Amino acid sequence: MHSYEYIRPADQAAAIAAASTTTTAQQGANVRFLAGGTTLIDLMKLNVETPARVLDINRLPLDRIEAASGGGLRVGAMVRNSDLANDAKVQQEYSVLSQAILQGASAQIRNMATVGGNLLQRTRCVYFRDTAMACNKREPGSGCPAITGHNRTLAILGVSEHCIATNPSDMCVALAALEATVHIQGTKGSRAVAFGDFHLLPGTTPERETVLEPGDLITHVSLPPPIVPSKQVYLKLRDRASYEFALASAAVVLTIETGNITYARIALGGVGTKPWRSAEAETALTGRPANDGTFRQAAEAALGASTPQSENTFKIELAKRCLTQALRMAMAR
Ligand SMILES: Cc1cc2nc3c(=O)[nH]c(=O)nc-3n(C[C@H](O)[C@H](O)[C@H](O)COP(=O)(O)OP(=O)(O)OC[C@H]3O[C@@H](n4cnc5c(N)ncnc54)[C@H](O)[C@@H]3O)c2cc1C
Ligand code: SF4
């Protein structure tokens, strides 16, 4: 692993000031905040991330889960994934989030991983993680060997001719369905970004994955007041039952009255270049009878714009079945 300067700022302002002394604080490799380290250290060992400075933010007071004004929840960026998944209010009122986190990684990794770090975890595309290979995301302009190479696990929604990498997060799929907001503190003050606007499509700049600017620190994520009562399910399909990323996943939040769907929030994982909220599926469900026919129509709508590559056409039907089954499971709750 290459050498780097390690800094442990005592407060948020110091962290942001230190991070913003370079023009590449978030998107490039010169300065990195260190949270749980389960993505960053991994990639530093592979020389994929080569920051000159690592700012350890573990001492910042961002590790609380609190009631937010207006009835929602405020989750600090340093809250560990395990603590969030096991929080009583999250389990009761935002259970899709708890389910999603608990189906990710391993207990040990969830104990280290933080909310902020999970939002910024990087793709598992094998070419991205191998510095001997070209990769537009790691080295802009070098090419995308995945398009004609190993792409079985890669994305079918939101792809571009420059990158087809899947966003690997489970937690983010649930946050998309729950319509969370990401709160950011930067050199010019604080701002709030709707979850659906936080991650970017690859387009012509796959190296730019979020709206974060140099020096930006994620301080917390907020959840709107819970939809009560609602039926919530996160279903994850993968090559093995644990410790594996999703080939396809679905987060579902539904309300049903007298057999009809009155509210639907749907997001997909494992198939999109970003956590994939499906407005198409939500429209196909809302106001319709809650039955298998409606569920399948929603799944068809959600995957309608799929662009598969040589090895991942199977994901289209897999994702449709995943969403259909998640909706069935929600009905049984
Ligand atoms: C073997 C393995 C299996 C895994 N399986 C899964 C899985 O099945 N599902 C899944 O969803 N995830 C999985 N993960 C990924 C895991 O969830 C992430 O690595 C973790 O969430 C990252 O959080 P962290 O706190 O460790 O981030 P770090 O590694 O500390 O940071 C990640 C990135 O975020 C930046 N950052 C961190 N906090 C902030 C902040 N507050 N503001 C601004 N920038 C910040 C860092 O600078 C860095 O660039 C797996 C990881 C491993 C190693
Ligand atoms: S899919 Fe994206 S991350 Fe993978 S090789 Fe292509 S450019 Fe790199």
Side-chain angles (χ1 to χ4, degrees), residues 69 93 127 251 279 297-298 307-308 322 324:
S69 57
E93 297 178 341
Y127 302 102
Q297 279 174 17
T307 311
C322 182
T324 306

Side-chain angles (χ1 to χ4, degrees), residues 26 32-40 42 57 77 81 104-105 109 113-114 116-118 120-121 168-170 216-218 236 243-245:
Q26 290 302 322
R32 279 283 187 255
F33 293 126
L34 175 68
T38 62
T39 284
L40 182 63
D42 208 15
I57 56 174
N81 284 184
I109 291 170
T114 63
N118 199 322
L120 299 175
Q121 67 171 287
S169 175
D170 292 299
D216 278 351
L217 175 75
I218 299 168
K236 178 176 179 180
Y243 205 36
E244 186 55 278
F245 292 89

Side-chain angles (χ1 to χ4, degrees), residues 123-129 133-139 142-147 150-151 154-155 160-166 202 206-207 209 273:
T123 183
R124 310 305 285 196
C125 173
V126 291
Y127 302 102
F128 173 74
R129 294 171 65 84
M133 304 301 296
C135 168
N136 283 331
K137 188 182 279 297
R138 185 169 28 76
E139 278 181 48
S142 62
C144 175
I147 289 175
H150 296 298
N151 51 48
L154 299 186
S160 78
E161 61 184 300
H162 302 280
C163 181
I164 57 170
T166 318
E207 73 281 9
E209 296 174 348
T273 51

Side-chain angles (χ1 to χ4, degrees), residues 203-215:
T204 56
T205 54
E207 73 281 9
R208 189 170 163 79
E209 296 174 348
T210 69
V211 296
L212 290 180
E213 298 291 341

